[in-house]
Amino acid sequence: MSKKNIETAKVTESNVNTDNLQLEKGEQHVNLEQNKNDQTTMKIDEEVVVDRLQEKPLQIIYPQEDHGSTDGTNHQPQLEVQFIRLYPPLALEEEGLQVYVAYLNKVIAMRSRLEYEQLVEMMSDQQVPGQNQLNFVSCLTNLFKDIVLAIEENDETLRSFCGEDGIVYEICELQEECDSRGSTIINKYMEYRKLAKVTSEINSYKSDLLSVGVEGPDPREIEVYLEEILSLTQLGEDYTAYMISKIRDLSSVDPELGPRATKAFRSGNFSKVVQDITGYYVILEGYFMVENVRKGIKIDELVFDSLTTSMVDDVFYVLQSCCRRSISTSNINSMIAVLSSAVSLLGGEYNEALQQKVREPNLGAKLFTGGVAVQKTGTEIATALNNMDVSSEYALKLRHEIEELLDM
């Protein structure tokens, strides 16, 4: 090859290499542009997802809920139920039962946790404690409702695993959620109402009755606490009774399982917290009853067109309300404490107030002195005697009513 041809070939090869280099740079430029476009597209997708999540917040549903669509057709069963039904054909009934009950437990725990956190947030947002009434009763009610619905609505699915033993297993597992979340709700209520501080003030007030200017808590506020505590304890008692009866109604389980379940329910964390709040209830109820009975005696006055003074109706109304409330707690210790206080008040301060008028000195002489004073004194004595007579009737009626309530 000639020298001229060799130089021409080198030039041509150089041009090719230059073109390849430019092509590579061009491809790199195109790739960079594509990456920028991809990043832009990815950013837009994130914004769309966030918007959709904000428009449609998370909804927690039970596994067996069948929601109807707007066109009248029903959706397919939940994926969890379809998946869980694969266990029995594979002879993995116990594993399937454990997985399914664990899923139900998580659903209930999440629902309860969300509502509890909302309640706590409302507590922290309050400017003045007690400014807005927080509904702890509703929070506890929803927890129990979720547990009961989980048992009732999944009865068929649970029986498909291990028969009635599956029902018992679910009840025992869900009871752990009740012990955990239920006790947390009641503890938070006691903290919100500052029951430890209030009962401490009541005990200090009782020991300083002779001190001048010392006043205890307002009985009107105490009555609000009493009604709230009664609602919480009644919920717990009804829930526990339902669970125990549910186990006892099962025919193919061990007969000794009922007593063991009862003992387990009564010794759980929730039951212990209920005992704590019941202890506060006894102190609050005793204080409320004593203060209102004393107030009724203090403001006693003649009532127009009545044979008795005002304190008779006032005192027995207070005693009746307190005794009824104590019986509604279904707690034997509360009943005994409140009924003992009622008997003590009737035989002590109230009896002393009834006899005060007839013990007035020189009462007989005043009746025979003549004049208007005699008529007034005679009316007062007659009213005092009527107070004793009507009080005896009211005491008997109250006793019969208490006996009937205890027999129910």
Side-chain angles (χ1 to χ4, degrees):
M1 182 180 294
S2 64
K3 183 177 180 181
K4 183 177 181 180
N5 292 335
I6 293 174
E7 292 177 354
T8 303
K10 289 182 178 180
V11 171
T12 304
E13 184 179 358
S14 176
N15 292 337
V16 172
N17 293 335
T18 303
D19 293 339
N20 291 336
L21 180 61
Q22 291 178 352
L23 180 60
E24 291 176 358
K25 290 182 179 180
E27 290 178 351
Q28 185 178 5
H29 178 70
V30 172
N31 291 334
L32 291 175
E33 292 296 331
Q34 289 179 351
N35 289 337
K36 291 181 180 180
N37 293 334
D38 291 342
Q39 291 177 358
T40 304
T41 305
M42 185 179 298
K43 183 177 181 181
I44 294 174
D45 290 341
E46 290 178 355
E47 293 177 352
V48 171
V49 171
V50 171
D51 291 339
R52 288 179 179 177
L53 289 177
Q54 291 177 349
E55 292 175 358
K56 296 182 179 180
L58 177 63
Q59 294 181 352
I60 306 170
I61 57 177
Y62 282 106
Q64 284 191 322
E65 286 184 349
D66 192 12
H67 300 277
S69 60
T70 56
D71 58 357
T73 60
N74 291 329
H75 295 290
Q76 294 295 325
Q78 296 296 321
L79 180 61
E80 292 81 359
V81 178
Q82 293 179 339
F83 173 73
I84 214 69
R85 287 174 179 170
L86 297 176
Y87 281 86
L90 299 175
L92 299 173
E93 290 85 356
E94 293 185 1
E95 290 81 353
L97 177 64
Q98 294 174 1
V99 171
Y100 192 57
V101 171
Y103 167 72
L104 292 176
N105 206 339
K106 289 181 180 179
V107 172
I108 295 173
M110 185 175 295
R111 290 168 62 96
S112 177
R113 179 176 57 83
L114 291 175
E115 187 170 3
Y116 174 77
E117 290 177 352
Q118 183 179 6
L119 193 67
V120 173
E121 184 178 356
M122 292 175 62
M123 287 179 58
S124 60
D125 291 341
Q126 282 188 345
Q127 299 295 331
V128 180
Q131 183 179 9
N132 297 319
Q133 298 297 328
L134 301 182
N135 202 340
F136 288 87
V137 176
S138 176
C139 188
L140 187 62
T141 300
N142 291 335
L143 171 63
F144 290 156
K145 182 179 178 181
D146 286 344
I147 295 176
V148 171
L149 286 177
I151 295 173
E152 294 294 337
E153 295 183 356
N154 296 281
D155 184 87
E156 181 180 354
T157 303
L158 293 168
R159 289 176 185 270
S160 66
F161 291 111
C162 302
E164 291 185 344
D165 290 341
I167 305 295
V168 177
Y169 176 78
E170 181 194 26
I171 291 176
C172 295
E173 289 296 313
L174 294 182
Q175 178 60 25
E176 294 183 3
E177 181 62 26
C178 170
D179 285 336
S180 173
R181 186 62 60 186
S183 58
T184 302
I185 293 172
I186 293 185
N187 279 324
K188 182 59 67 172
Y189 168 78
M190 292 190 290
E191 176 187 342
Y192 171 67
R193 288 304 189 188
K194 300 179 180 178
L195 296 185
K197 179 181 178 182
V198 173
T199 52
S200 178
E201 292 176 354
I202 290 174
N203 292 330
S204 299
Y205 171 74
K206 289 180 180 179
S207 61
D208 296 336
L209 286 177
L210 299 179
S211 301
V212 180
V214 177
E215 295 184 359
D218 188 353
R220 291 172 296 182
E221 294 183 0
I222 299 300
E223 187 175 17
V224 175
Y225 302 167
L226 290 171
E227 293 296 334
E228 292 173 346
I229 294 174
L230 177 61
S231 298
L232 292 172
T233 54
Q234 281 182 328
L235 279 173
E237 187 65 28
D238 293 342
Y239 165 79
T240 302
Y242 167 80
M243 288 298 191
I244 295 175
S245 65
K246 184 72 175 179
I247 294 177
R248 289 177 176 174
D249 291 341
L250 300 176
S251 58
S252 63
V253 298
D254 187 355
E256 297 181 357
L257 189 59
R260 290 203 303 267
T262 302
K263 183 179 180 180
F265 276 89
R266 298 298 183 187
S267 60
N269 290 334
F270 179 76
S271 180
K272 293 178 181 178
V273 175
V274 170
Q275 292 176 7
D276 293 339
I277 198 173
T278 301
Y280 289 133
Y281 163 80
V282 172
I283 298 175
L284 296 175
E285 189 73 88
Y287 172 79
F288 175 80
M289 181 167 54
V290 170
E291 289 300 306
N292 281 281
V293 167
R294 288 174 178 171
K295 183 177 181 181
I297 295 173
K298 183 178 180 180
I299 64 174
D300 185 33
E301 61 182 2
L302 291 171
V303 180
F304 176 75
D305 199 21
S306 176
L307 299 177
T308 62
T309 57
S310 61
M311 76 171 180
V312 177
D313 288 338
D314 292 344
V315 167
F316 277 93
Y317 173 77
V318 172
L319 295 178
Q320 183 186 51
S321 300
C322 295
C323 291
R324 283 179 176 178
R325 190 157 47 215
S326 67
I327 295 173
S328 298
T329 62
S330 301
N331 185 283
I332 187 64
N333 295 325
S334 300
M335 298 180 201
I336 293 175
V338 174
L339 293 179
S340 298
S341 297
V343 172
S344 177
L345 282 171
L346 285 176
E349 296 182 35
Y350 183 69
N351 182 50
E352 183 68 23
L354 287 176
Q355 298 185 23
Q356 186 175 2
K357 284 294 182 182
V358 296
R359 288 178 179 176
E360 186 175 345
N362 300 323
L363 185 60
K366 291 181 180 180
L367 291 175
F368 297 98
T369 55
V372 179
V374 174
Q375 183 178 0
K376 181 179 179 181
T377 303
T379 302
E380 292 177 352
I381 294 175
T383 303
L385 294 175
N386 288 333
N387 284 349
M388 292 183 177
D389 186 45
V390 174
S391 295
S392 299
E393 294 180 4
Y394 281 0
L396 291 175
K397 289 181 180 179
L398 180 60
R399 175 186 173 182
H400 292 318
E401 181 180 351
I402 292 173
E403 290 176 348
E404 290 177 357
L405 291 174
L406 292 175
D407 292 337
M408 291 178 61

